[in-house]
Each structure stands twice: as structure tokens, then as C-alpha cells.
């Protein structure tokens, strides 16, 4: 062998060795990588800034706080439970932790725009599957369940699925397959791509390693949220989610469209019953019932608290008496709907004031404190101290 | 070690380092290709 051939051989052999080394580091990172001093998922550590946290990072956040004898309270759901409208120091889950005390560890894994059983909710499922004591707190509006796949955080479902983190729930697989069969070719292609990436990652662990690098050392992709210093490690990103201004400055813009949205919470879910009152429409309620049954494994249900979060009084008091009656009926009916499936459901916000709200749906710090007190009771009902 | 041997060792070490780096870059490429072109845009409503 000539020296030149030897050099080429060393180079060629070093490539798979380097790749294997990266896989090994990825496997290790999967065991420990997580955001430090974690309070909630702010822009710097969320998909809005191209930081698509792997499932393992979310699990690690929860497990790092757990100790034997404690119950993990995973808060999933959408921006309302994420604390959008509250400063980092006022995030409602900090108050929930204070209310519940040391016997519980509260972890806020709510993503803005997430469905009630998506993203953070799957972390609770994974932990329960591994026999950790878990309570899942999530939120939704009447008529909304959705699927674990196919939305902004669907990548977390495939990530968890191909790493064997979830309960075997054939109804969920069948529902997703059926949905995909009727989806557009573009949606099917997108789902195929997500699945391929997740399968590959289950073997090669590139998400864990490079998200860890992006968090601790250097982020390599430009995006509008982190300009102009997009390369900075995400560990240095600050939580700059919006904070509620003084009350006099709230509810001042887009009142008409926000009122339409408030009406929309019940407009397609009930119909006049002919005697001046309302009855709940059957088909949407059946869809919700089927989706709860298909998406949420039975073993999870008695570990769940589902909050049906009401709109601010500023808008609810502007509904006509008829619309308000419909709104109340629909919220109560869908609360019962979740309960029929063995899930503790509660309407929250009916007795809140405008001061408790940042905007139509999100809570200010005062509302966060009220929500924490209520939720602490609901959690204790499921998992007594 | 003679200067020519040193040069040979240096050349081999350089190939090793380049190879390892390429391996890491290929791994990074998988991560990079999995990122969407546009970040998720959240609209509060």
C-alpha cells in the first residue's frame, strides 16, 4: 500500500467513525439534555424560533425534578396554560407549585397553539407508561380535541412513537391512518417525511445531540425570532412572551372580531330546540367523543384534568342573553362529554373578572393565581397528598 | 522520529481529523434537513 493510499484509507475509515461517535454522543445527550432553570416553553426554546425540542428534552425536564414519593404534574395544553400574558416570574404554574407543595412537581410543557392531547400531554403518557405517578393538566374549548399527529407539534408524536414511549393504542393508529387516507397528497407527503425523520432519529439520535449543541453552545440556523444574533446558544435566550398591560389598556383592539370568536365557541355546537332554548348538536359532539376515545389511551384518562377555559367577561357580557344561554349550555355539555370518558373536566373562568384576563382568552397574573388555586384542588382530587 | 516520518504522521492525523469532521457533519446534516424551512408561526387568538 502506498502512502497516498494509506491517507485515503484513513480518511474513508474516519468518516463512519466520526458519524458513529456523533450517534453515541446523541444517545448520551438524550439522557441528560434539557433546558436549565426551566419555567415554561418561551420563544427561544420553541418551534416558533426553529427550536424543535426533541421529546427526550421534555421528558428530561420532568424527570430532573422528580424524586420518589412525588407526583409529577405535567401541564400541557395551549398558550392559556403556557402563561401567555404573564411575566416569567408570575407564570401560573409557579403559583400552582406553591399551592400544591413539595409532594408534587409541576412542569409546564404547554405549547402555544397546541391541542389538548398533544405535545406535552404525550410526555405525561410516556411517564405513566414507565410507572411514574403522573397527573396531566390540559385545556381546551368545547368541540376541540384534534389528533396527536398532523398539527404543529405532531413531530413530537412520531418522535415518542418510534422511541417506544407511548402506550399501545390501536384506535389511535387506526384513526390517524384513516385521516391520512383522506388527506391531500401534500399532507400525506408531510406526514411521511415526519415519520421517516423520526424513524431515522430513533436509530441515529441527531435531534438530541444537535438540539443540545444549539441550546448550550451555538445555534446554526437563521430565523426571525432570534435575529440578529441567531447563532447564540438558546440557553441565553430570555423569556419575552407578552405581559398583560394595565387593565385600562386591555380589550381595546379588534373588539368586534374578538366578540365574533367568543360567539363562535358555541355557534356551531348547538341549535334552537323550538321552545326558546338550545340543544347541543349531535354530530360535533359525536366527533369529539370519537376523538377522545381514539386519541387518549384509557389508562391515561383517570390521571387527567381537562380545563374548559372560558372567555373574558368583557366579551361574554357583550353576548346577547340568548347567545349567553347557548354558550353556557355548550360549555356544560362538553364538560360532561369529557367526564363520560372518565376524564375529570372543569369549566374555569366563569367567576373570573376582566382584571384576571390579558385578552379574550389568556390570563394575566391575577387570573393565573386563581387558576392555580382551582387546579391545585382538581389535582389533589386525582392524586391526594 | 525523522522529519519525513513526522510529516507522514501529521498527514495521517490531518486525514483522520478531516474524516471525523465529515462524519460529524453528515450527522448534523440529518438534523438540519429535518428542520422546516419556515418556523411555526403562532397567532394568539
Amino acid at each position: 500500500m502506498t502512502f497516498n493510499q494509506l491517507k485515503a484509507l484513513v480518511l474513508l475509515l474516519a468518516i463512519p467513525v466520526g458519524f458513529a461517535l456523533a450517534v453515541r454522543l446523541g444517545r448520551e445527550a438524550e439522557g441528560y439534555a434539557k433546558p436549565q432553570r426551566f419555567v415554561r416553553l418561551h420563544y427561544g426554546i420553541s418551534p416558533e424560533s426553529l427550536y424543535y425540542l426533541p421529546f427526550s428534552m421534555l421528558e428530561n425536564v420532568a424527570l430532573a425534578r422528580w424524586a420518589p414519593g412525588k407526583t409529577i404534574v405535567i401541564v400541557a395544553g395551549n398558550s392559556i396554560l403556557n402563561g401567555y400574558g404573564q411575566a416569567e416570574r408570575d407564570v401560573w404554574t409557579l403559583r400552582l407549585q406553591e399551592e400544591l407543595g413539595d409532594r408534587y412537581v409541576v412542569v409546564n410543557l404547554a405549547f402555544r397553539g397546541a391541542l389538548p392531547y398533544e405535545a406535552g400531554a404525550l410526555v405525561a403518557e410516556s411517564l405513566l407508561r414507565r410507572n411514574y405517578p403522573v397527573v396531566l393538566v390540559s385545556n381546551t374549548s368545547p368541540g376541540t380535541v384534534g389528533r396527536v399527529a398532523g398539527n404543529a407539534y405532531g413531530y413530537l408524536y412520531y418522535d415518542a412513537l418510534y422511541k417506544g414511549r407511548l402506550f399501545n393504542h390501536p384506535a389511535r393508529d387506526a384513526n390517524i391512518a384513516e385521516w391520512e387516507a383522506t388527506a391531500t397528497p401534500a399532507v400525506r407527503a408531510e406526514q411521511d417525511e415526519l415519520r421517516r425523520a423520526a424513524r431515522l432519529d430513533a436509530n441515529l439520535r441527531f435531534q438530541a445531540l444537535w438540539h443540545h449543541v444549539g441550546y448550550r453552545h451555538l445555534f446554526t440556523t437563521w430565523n426571525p425570532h432570534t435575529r440578529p444574533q441567531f447563532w447564540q446558544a438558546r440557553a441565553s435566550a430570555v423569556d419575552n412572551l407578552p405581559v398583560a398591560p394595565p387593565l385600562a389598556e386591555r380589550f381595546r383592539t379588534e373588539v368586534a372580531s374578538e366578540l365574533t370568536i367568543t360567539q363562535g365557541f358555541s355557534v356551531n355546537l348547538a341549535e334552537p330546540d323550538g321552545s326558546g332554548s338550545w340543544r347541543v348538536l349531535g354530530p360535533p359532539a359525536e366527533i369529539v367523543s370519537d376523538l377522545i376515545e381514539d386519541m387518549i389511551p384509557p389508562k391515561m384518562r383517570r390521571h387527567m384534568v381537562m380545563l374548559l377555559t372560558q372567555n373574558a367577561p368583557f366579551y361574554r357580557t357583550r353576548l346577547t342573553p340568548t347567545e349567553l344561554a347557548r354558550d353556557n349550555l355548550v360549555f356544560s355539555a362538553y364538560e360532561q362529554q369529557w367526564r363520560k370518558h372518565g376524564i375529570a373536566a372543569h369549566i374555569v373562568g366563569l367567576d373570573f373578572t376582566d382584571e384576571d384576563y390579558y385578552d379574550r382568552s389568556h390570563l394575566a397574573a391575577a387570573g393565573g393565581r386563581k387558576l392555580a388555586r382551582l387546579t391545585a384542588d382538581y389535582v389533589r382530587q386525582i392524586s391526594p397528598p | 522520529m525523522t522529519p519525513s516520518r513526522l510529516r507522514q504522521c501529521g498527514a495521517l492525523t490531518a486525514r483522520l481529523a478531516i474524516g471525523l469532521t465529515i462524519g460529524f457533519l453528515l450527522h448534523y446534516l440529518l438534523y438540519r434537513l429535518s428542520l422546516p424551512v419556515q418556523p411555526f408561526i403562532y397567532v394568539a387568538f
Side-chain angles (χ1 to χ4, degrees):
Chain A
M1 182 186 283
T2 66
F3 184 65
N4 279 342
Q5 285 173 327
L6 180 63
K7 282 196 294 189
L9 185 67
V10 167
L11 179 67
L12 285 176
L13 287 177
I15 292 171
V17 171
F19 191 87
L21 213 59
V23 173
R24 169 83 188 268
L25 289 173
R27 282 186 187 281
E28 286 176 15
E30 203 167 67
Y32 64 78
K34 63 180 183 304
Q36 305 295 318
R37 298 179 301 280
F38 179 82
V39 176
R40 64 173 160 183
L41 295 153
H42 57 77
Y43 288 136
I45 49 172
S46 296
E48 286 110 321
S49 62
L50 276 180
Y51 195 80
Y52 282 77
L53 302 96
F55 191 78
S56 60
M57 260 196 180
L58 299 175
E59 269 192 330
N60 290 343
V61 169
L63 289 173
R65 294 184 187 177
W66 182 77
K70 291 179 187 255
T71 297
I72 306 172
V73 180
I74 299 287
V75 174
N78 62 25
S79 52
I80 299 172
L81 299 197
N82 176 254
Y84 192 90
Q86 299 149 27
E88 190 182 32
R89 65 179 178 282
D90 293 326
V91 172
W92 79 281
T93 39
L94 297 175
R95 303 291 87 79
L96 179 61
Q97 179 69 73
E98 289 165 8
E99 292 281 341
L100 287 168
D102 291 343
R103 248 278 284 126
Y104 302 84
V105 283
V106 179
V107 188
N108 188 335
L109 300 180
F111 282 81
R112 292 165 294 285
L115 291 163
Y117 199 79
E118 189 184 29
L122 297 176
V123 175
E125 182 178 325
S126 167
L127 295 177
L128 185 67
R129 187 181 159 275
R130 295 159 73 186
N131 295 318
Y132 287 96
V134 171
V135 175
L136 167 64
V137 178
S138 190
N139 77 308
T140 190
S141 56
T144 303
V145 181
R147 290 180 179 80
V148 289
N151 303 294
Y153 305 107
Y155 80 96
L156 284 167
Y157 168 65
Y158 293 123
D159 189 357
L161 181 71
Y162 290 119
K163 287 181 184 142
R165 291 297 204 223
L166 303 178
F167 284 123
N168 181 29
H169 188 40
R172 182 160 59 193
D173 307 336
N175 184 302
I176 292 168
E178 195 182 326
W179 161 70
E180 266 196 75
T182 56
T184 63
V187 168
R188 281 205 296 274
E190 187 187 31
Q191 296 304 303
D192 277 342
E193 197 174 314
L194 284 171
R195 269 194 295 270
R196 269 199 300 274
R199 271 199 209 105
L200 210 55
D201 186 56
N203 292 307
L204 303 175
R205 302 307 206 259
F206 45 90
Q207 298 291 3
L209 175 62
W210 297 105
H211 275 92
H212 178 60
V213 169
Y215 183 78
R216 295 294 289 270
H217 307 292
L218 169 82
F219 198 77
T220 54
T221 313
W222 184 91
N223 71 89
H225 258 299
T226 53
R227 65 183 181 195
Q229 291 166 319
F230 71 88
W231 61 84
Q232 282 193 342
R234 293 304 175 87
S236 63
V238 294
D239 182 334
N240 59 356
L241 285 167
V243 178
L247 182 58
E249 294 170 32
R250 299 179 209 165
F251 315 115
R252 294 179 68 142
T253 56
E254 298 176 13
V255 174
S257 61
E258 293 290 346
L259 186 58
T260 305
I261 294 172
T262 307
Q263 291 159 337
F265 269 60
S266 60
V267 72
N268 294 318
L269 301 176
E271 63 182 355
D273 68 353
S275 64
S277 193
W278 296 95
R279 68 170 159 251
V280 174
L281 277 168
E286 282 161 25
I287 291 171
V288 162
S289 184
D290 289 348
L291 280 170
I292 295 172
E293 199 59 36
D294 289 353
M295 289 300 123
I296 307 176
K299 284 178 190 163
M300 266 309 292
R301 296 179 198 163
R302 65 188 174 86
H303 298 270
M304 287 175 64
V305 175
M306 187 56 65
L307 305 173
L308 280 91
T309 34
Q310 259 292 4
N311 292 300
F314 181 88
Y315 298 101
R316 293 191 77 242
T317 52
R318 281 163 173 75
L319 296 175
T320 65
T322 319
E323 288 170 340
L324 194 59
R326 186 185 64 203
D327 190 78
N328 286 330
L329 172 82
V330 163
F331 267 83
S332 297
Y334 279 86
E335 180 185 46
Q336 289 306 318
Q337 184 81 290
W338 285 91
R339 288 178 180 174
K340 271 185 213 158
H341 292 272
I343 294 165
H346 304 275
I347 301 167
V348 291
L350 280 176
D351 53 349
F352 287 17
T353 65
D354 282 338
E355 205 154 280
D356 297 326
Y357 282 85
Y358 158 54
D359 57 19
R360 179 185 49 74
S361 58
H362 302 102
L363 298 173
R369 284 193 292 275
K370 286 185 182 173
L371 182 64
R373 277 196 293 277
L374 289 170
T375 306
D377 284 341
Y378 303 149
V379 169
R380 280 190 288 258
Q381 283 166 21
I382 288 184
S383 174
Chain B
M1 197 178 271
T2 62
S4 68
R5 261 275 188 254
L6 264 177
R7 268 199 301 279
Q8 284 184 337
C9 279
L12 289 177
T13 308
R15 294 302 187 281
L16 181 70
I18 292 166
L20 290 173
T21 306
I22 293 171
F24 264 82
L25 281 175
L26 288 174
H27 193 256
Y28 166 77
L29 202 62
L30 289 174
Y31 151 76
R32 189 66 187 77
L33 288 173
S34 74
L35 286 182
V37 177
Q38 289 286 331
F40 167 60
I41 297 168
Y42 170 66
V43 181
F45 73 94

